[in-house]
Amino acid sequence: MSVKLILLGPPGSGKGTQGALLGKFYGIPEISTGDMLRQAVAEGSELGKRVQGILTKGQLVPDDVMVSLVEERVSREDCAQGFILDGFPRTVDQARALERVLPGGIDAVVYLRVPREEVIARLAGRLTCRRCGAVYAKTDSSLCQVCGGDLYQRDDDLRSTVEHRLRVYEEHTAPLVGYYRTLDKVREFDGSGPVEEVARRVEAGIARVIA
Ligand code: AMP
């Protein structure tokens, strides 16, 4: 069985957290394009140098760069049983390109709905592990409970950038909900409330699609 899912929702809607849980549940990789880009920046690779300024400002990396990055990633061995994409596609053009790359298409889009005010509060108060990318609310300890790495506030989680990222989301990414609705792929979930509760709702909803 192969499971190919896309996570959709504004920044801060819990895509990374829910994607990691779903990935564990199905035994498939959760692929975060944001994590891939941040890693490239940390390594100082050619790609990293090219995208660093774009990430800091909360803008979008050009579609062609993203499509080749994802095309290469999903062709790897560990994606043979499927994958969960977090942060890609982010534009309708990326979604069209993904269809060309994946002949069978995806199984479903997990769309997490969270009120705008809650998203702003979550992002402006969130800390991320420098080593493994796990995220925490600001009041937690300064060390990652998963791997012991340092927690830091992402440049693009500063309040001014958060509002900009939300505008970018609304303009470029939110139209994807309509795009995938016409393909009857969207499964919509209430993303507010405790992580475990959201995870239960998502797992039950997706099990119905995959079965
Ligand atoms: P994320 O961790 O998903 O919030 O992504 C962090 C940043 O990486 C975004 O604000 C963009 O600058 C960039 N990024 C990640 N995925 C994409 C994508 N599919 N297309 C364009 N830019 C992206």
Side-chain angles (χ1 to χ4, degrees), residues 10-12 15 32-38 51-63 66-67 69-70 86-91 94 123 126 154 156-157 161 165 168 173:
K15 298 189 298 295
S32 156
T33 46
D35 282 353
M36 289 168 80
L37 295 171
R38 280 185 290 278
V51 303
Q52 184 161 24
I54 300 178
L55 260 67
T56 305
K57 291 188 210 126
Q59 294 167 348
L60 291 182
V61 173
D63 287 343
M66 295 311 301
V67 171
L69 197 67
V70 170
D86 164 11
F88 184 96
R90 236 179 174 99
T91 64
Q94 290 181 11
L123 288 177
R126 107 178 154 177
R154 280 169 45 176
D156 60 350
D157 281 347
T161 312
R165 284 165 67 205
V168 170
T173 309

Side-chain angles (χ1 to χ4, degrees), residues 17-18 21-22 25-26 110 112 189-190 192-208:
T17 305
Q18 294 302 326
L21 293 172
L22 270 176
F25 188 74
Y26 286 110
V110 174
L112 295 173
F189 301 95
D190 176 2
S192 45
V195 169
E196 301 74 23
E197 233 172 69
V198 178
R200 268 197 300 277
R201 290 199 281 268
V202 173
E203 280 169 17
I206 291 305
R208 260 178 256 131

